[in-house]
Each structure stands twice: as C-alpha cells, then as structure tokens.
C-alpha cells in the first residue's frame, strides 16, 4: 500500500503528489492536518522512516519554538505527543510504501521507493 502524507498548502507536498500521480501507481492521500495520526500510526511511520521523532519535526514552525522542542532533554514520547497535538509540526510530504517511508523533500526522493 502506498500512502502520501500530504498538506495541500505546501508546494513541496503538491510536487510530490503530482509526481506520484504521474507514476501511474495506486495510492492513498492522507491529509494529516484534517485526519491526524494516532500514536500507533505515528510510531509506525517513524519506524518506517527509520528516524527519531526529532528528525520529523518542522523546526521553523511557531509551535516548535513555543513548545521549546529544540530542548535536547525532551524524550521521544514527548516529541511524538507534540506532533500528535500539533500535526503541522510534522515534516511533509512523507511517502510510505509498505514498511518503508521517506520524507519527500525534494520529491525525487520518492523515486527509489516507487521503483
């Protein structure tokens, strides 16, 4: 199963969607701002990305600064909880194909997963 975690207001996310549409493969779009991920889904996505939660955070968002998410003492669980409460903190777009995923910035990073 192919899933694109997508924010239509993001130009990079729209580029990834266009590339995915051109691939001809069947996929699902998850508008994660409207349908936030659960703890289990976010944890599974991080496992598929093979990244710690900190690497999926958007550090330029106001919430990142307001919540002091740069603080190195914050646990993995605290960072996950921050993304659950504030989905726009999650980097985008993310493409997941089965048990593998990639942050598609730039969109070309998706090509290896789609091959």
């Amino acid at each position: 199963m192919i899933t694109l975690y997508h924010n239509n207001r993001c130009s990079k996310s729209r580029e990834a969607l266009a590339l995915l549409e051109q691939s001809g493969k069947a996929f699902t779009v998850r508008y994660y701002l409207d349908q936030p991920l659960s703890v289990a889904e976010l944890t599974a996505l991080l496992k598929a990305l093979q990244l710690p939660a900190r690497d999926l955070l958007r550090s330029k968002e106001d919430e990142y600064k307001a919540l002091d998410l740069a603080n190195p003492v914050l646990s993995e669980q605290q960072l996950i909880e921050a993304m659950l409460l504030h989905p726009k903190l999650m980097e985008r777009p993310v493409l997941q194909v089965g048990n593998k995923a990639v942050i598609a910035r730039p969109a070309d990073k998706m090509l290896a997963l789609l091959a």
Side-chain angles (χ1 to χ4, degrees), residues 54 68-75:
R54 186 168 300 284
D68 192 28
L69 296 177
N71 186 338
V73 301
L74 292 175
S75 70

Side-chain angles (χ1 to χ4, degrees), residues 2-4 12-13 15-20 23 25 48-51 55-56 91-97 100-115:
I2 300 174
T3 303
L4 180 68
K12 299 293 183 193
S13 199
E15 287 173 22
L17 178 61
L19 185 63
L20 195 52
S23 77
K25 297 185 183 278
L49 285 163
Q50 297 181 357
L51 293 175
D55 290 353
L56 190 58
E91 189 60 80
R92 67 206 180 232
V94 175
L95 179 73
Q96 184 170 11
V97 180
K100 294 185 179 186
V102 66
I103 298 172
R105 295 180 77 86
D108 291 350
K109 285 188 167 185
M110 298 184 336
L111 297 176
L113 279 184
L114 294 173

Side-chain angles (χ1 to χ4, degrees), residues 19-56:
L19 185 63
L20 195 52
E21 288 170 339
Q22 291 171 6
S23 77
K25 297 185 183 278
F27 64 93
T28 304
V29 176
R30 174 80 177 260
Y31 295 92
Y32 66 92
L33 293 177
D34 299 327
Q35 301 170 325
L37 281 69
S38 68
V39 173
E41 289 172 322
L42 184 53
T43 302
L45 182 60
L46 288 165
K47 184 177 180 182
L49 285 163
Q50 297 181 357
L51 293 175
R54 186 168 300 284
D55 290 353
L56 190 58

